[in-house]
């Protein structure tokens, strides 16, 4: 297992450390519900330095990115970011990622920790245009400062106007006494805030100053367990749960990041799937009675016939009810449709709902 630069810091803070995506990561400090509520109502900081970062540069950088990604990266101007995915050749997804246009011919790709090697090899195998590729994953750290008080709590640490950075935009500037830091208005919680990309040698100073500056705003360190409940309340997909090598972006509800005004890996097949409609769809459900849905639980119809499985599920701290995602046949995917979730020996009634679960 790898450590992040801050692993010993998390241990000193009393975090419960677990293996995750090849790293020792803090899963919780005080507890999931407390940490979840901190992000929803105030501000919290996550160490997500396990994520991967690739730099793709040169005059053919955009050409390579356009070929391997589903979204239209030509729309990116310097200072803008874009959510996208890497389709495979068999209808599934290699990974989902965020693409940042750092300079005119320079793009930063941020990928999931568990897929760093897979993604690197995949993109490299498609690089017949000789774009320059650099894997920076082992050299960079990433902090996510999330919550409605993030701007106010962090403004004293930078000369940049944080309130002026729009969603999915970023600046490169000073932060917590360090220059050339990426300050990005992205996140995975639905409660606003920033992601901070810095060198490994800089992250401890930034972490300490973030906690100090945020103290009067109630900042707390947040673990991966609350990160999961926060993202699920927003209906954000998690790779390995809701999307993987066998799920298409169309059936996963990611048609909005799949643009057919260009050619990319498997684009013809995905275009046909979009035109004809997928056989199954990723749906969101809320339990109508007490229970906690978990990944792998069976989804059944009113006749108790199995129609799918839960891909992500939890007890929502914000809503106080069981929520989840899962794939069902398209003809049973309408909002309002009644289903049941098999929780041990019980079939717990549930209703399909429109995302997000949490509406702030």
């Amino acid at each position: 297992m790898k450590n992040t630069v801050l692993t010993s810091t998390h241990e000193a803070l009393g975090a419960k450390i677990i293996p995750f995506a090849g790293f020792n990561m803090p899963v919780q400090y005080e507890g999931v519900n407390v940490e979840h509520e901190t992000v929803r109502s105030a501000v919290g900081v996550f160490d997500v330095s396990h994520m991967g970062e690739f730099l793709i540069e040169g005059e053919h950088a955009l050409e390579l990115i356009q070929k391997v990604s589903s979204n239209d990266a030509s729309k990116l101007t310097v200072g803008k970011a874009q959510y996208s995915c890497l389709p495979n050749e068999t209808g599934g997804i290699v990974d989902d990622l965020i693409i940042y246009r750092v300079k005119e011919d320079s793009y930063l790709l941020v990928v999931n920790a568990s897929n760093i090697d897979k993604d690197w090899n995949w993109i490299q195998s498609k690089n017949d245009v000789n774009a320059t590729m650099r894997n920076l994953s082992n050299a960079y750290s990433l902090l996510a400062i999330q919550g409605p008080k993030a701007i106010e709590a962090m403004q004293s640490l930078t000369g940049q106007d944080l309130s002026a950075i729009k969603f999915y935009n970023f600046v490169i500037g000073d932060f917590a006494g360090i220059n050339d830091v990426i300050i990005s208005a992205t996140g995975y919680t639905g409660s606003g805030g920033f992601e901070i990309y810095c060198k490994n040698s800089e992250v401890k100073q930034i972490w300490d100053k973030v906690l100090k500056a945020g103290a009067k705003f109630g900042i707390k360190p947040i673990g991966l367990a609350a990160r999961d409940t926060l993202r699920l309340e927003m209906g954000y997909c998690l790779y390995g749960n809701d999307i993987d090598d066998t799920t298409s972006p169309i059936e996963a509800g990611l048609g909005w990041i799949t643009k057919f005004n260009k050619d990319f890996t498997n684009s013809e097949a995905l275009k046909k799937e979009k035109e004809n409609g997928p056989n199954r769809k990723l749906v969101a459900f809320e339990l109508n009675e007490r229970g906690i849905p978990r990944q792998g639980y069976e989804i059944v119809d009113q006749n108790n016939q199995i129609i799918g499985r839960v891909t992500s599920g939890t007890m929502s701290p914000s809503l106080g009810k069981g929520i989840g995602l899962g794939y069902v046949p398209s003809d049973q995917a309408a909002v309002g449709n009644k289903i049941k979730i098999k929780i041990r020996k019980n079939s717990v009634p549930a209703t399909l709902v429109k995302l997000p679960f949490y509406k702030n």
Side-chain angles (χ1 to χ4, degrees):
M1 287 293 138
K2 295 180 184 175
N3 292 324
T4 74
V5 173
L6 297 173
T7 298
S8 58
T9 302
H10 303 313
E11 289 172 337
L13 288 167
K16 180 183 177 184
I17 305 289
I18 63 162
F20 181 82
F23 287 78
N24 291 311
M25 296 296 292
V27 66
Q28 64 180 54
Y29 300 81
E30 287 182 62
V32 179
N33 288 354
V34 173
E35 293 168 33
H36 181 108
E37 179 52 33
T38 296
V39 174
R40 284 282 180 250
S41 63
V43 59
V45 56
F46 304 76
D47 175 18
V48 281
S49 301
H50 60 319
M51 301 290 280
E53 293 88 14
F54 306 154
L55 202 60
I56 299 184
E57 297 179 297
E59 60 177 318
H60 298 296
L62 179 60
E63 188 179 345
L64 174 59
I65 289 166
Q66 288 288 70
K67 187 164 60 168
V68 298
S69 66
S70 63
N71 211 335
D72 184 3
S74 71
K75 298 278 193 244
L76 286 172
T77 52
V78 174
K80 289 193 179 296
Q82 181 185 77
Y83 181 57
S84 191
C85 77
L86 305 173
N88 63 24
E89 280 154 354
T90 54
I93 299 171
V94 178
D95 202 6
D96 62 335
L97 74 164
I98 298 179
I99 301 170
Y100 296 80
R101 191 167 192 176
V102 182
K103 297 175 187 168
E104 208 55 42
D105 290 328
S106 182
Y107 297 81
L108 181 70
L109 277 55
V110 180
V111 304
N112 285 298
S114 56
N115 291 335
I116 291 172
D117 291 341
K118 181 176 85 163
D119 293 357
W120 177 263
N121 293 336
W122 176 260
I123 297 169
Q124 203 171 43
S125 75
K126 303 292 184 185
N127 186 15
D128 56 8
V129 295
N130 292 320
T132 303
M133 291 177 59
R134 291 164 61 200
N135 187 348
L136 307 178
S137 304
N138 291 330
Y140 276 76
S141 293
L142 172 57
L143 301 181
I145 304 162
Q146 297 284 292
K149 294 184 181 176
I151 293 174
E152 194 181 359
M154 294 299 112
Q155 187 57 67
S156 66
L157 294 180
T158 178
Q160 306 291 325
D161 180 0
L162 296 179
S163 65
I165 307 173
K166 294 176 182 171
F167 194 46
Y168 267 75
N169 284 244
F170 67 95
V171 296
I172 298 175
D174 66 296
F175 191 84
I178 307 287
N179 292 324
D180 300 322
V181 170
I182 294 177
I183 308 169
S184 172
T186 46
Y188 198 46
T189 66
S191 283
F194 300 91
E195 294 187 304
I196 305 292
Y197 296 84
C198 63
K199 292 173 184 166
N200 286 345
S201 59
E202 300 164 342
V203 71
K204 180 65 165 68
Q205 175 176 321
I206 293 177
W207 173 272
D208 290 342
K209 291 196 173 184
V210 163
L211 285 178
K212 189 174 180 183
K216 64 183 177 185
F217 299 93
I219 198 169
K220 292 180 179 180
I222 313 295
L224 293 182
R227 184 174 166 85
D228 193 51
T229 56
L230 289 157
R231 71 92 194 168
L232 184 48
E233 286 187 347
M234 298 308 297
Y236 295 153
C237 288
L238 175 64
Y239 195 90
N241 283 44
D242 315 301
I243 50 175
D244 59 31
D245 290 298
T246 69
T247 60
S248 87
I250 307 304
E251 63 189 13
L254 298 177
W256 62 281
I257 62 164
T258 312
K259 303 292 169 60
F260 298 110
N261 59 342
K262 60 163 196 166
D263 288 328
F264 58 87
T265 308
N266 206 40
S267 56
E268 279 304 310
L270 291 173
K271 187 177 182 182
K272 280 181 188 161
E273 185 182 13
K274 186 164 190 177
E275 289 167 354
N276 298 329
N279 293 326
R280 61 176 189 163
K281 288 182 179 178
L282 186 66
V283 295
F285 63 84
E286 292 181 356
L287 296 190
N288 301 332
E289 297 176 6
R290 284 199 67 78
I292 304 176
R294 300 289 187 199
Q295 183 187 22
Y297 285 6
E298 292 172 351
I299 302 173
V300 300
D301 62 17
Q302 294 300 303
N303 299 317
N304 288 316
Q305 297 298 306
I306 299 170
I307 57 170
R309 288 185 184 275
V310 177
T311 55
S312 289
T314 194
M315 172 61 71
S316 164
S318 299
L319 306 179
K321 63 174 78 169
I323 61 171
L325 302 174
Y327 287 92
V328 302
S330 294
D331 60 2
Q332 300 190 58
V335 169
N337 189 35
K338 303 292 184 185
I339 57 168
K340 298 175 187 174
I341 308 298
K342 297 279 282 190
I343 301 179
R344 298 181 191 87
K345 294 177 181 176
N346 299 323
S347 294
V348 181
T351 304
L352 300 191
V353 298
K354 188 178 179 185
L355 289 170
F357 296 104
Y358 174 77
K359 298 167 178 69
N360 54 0

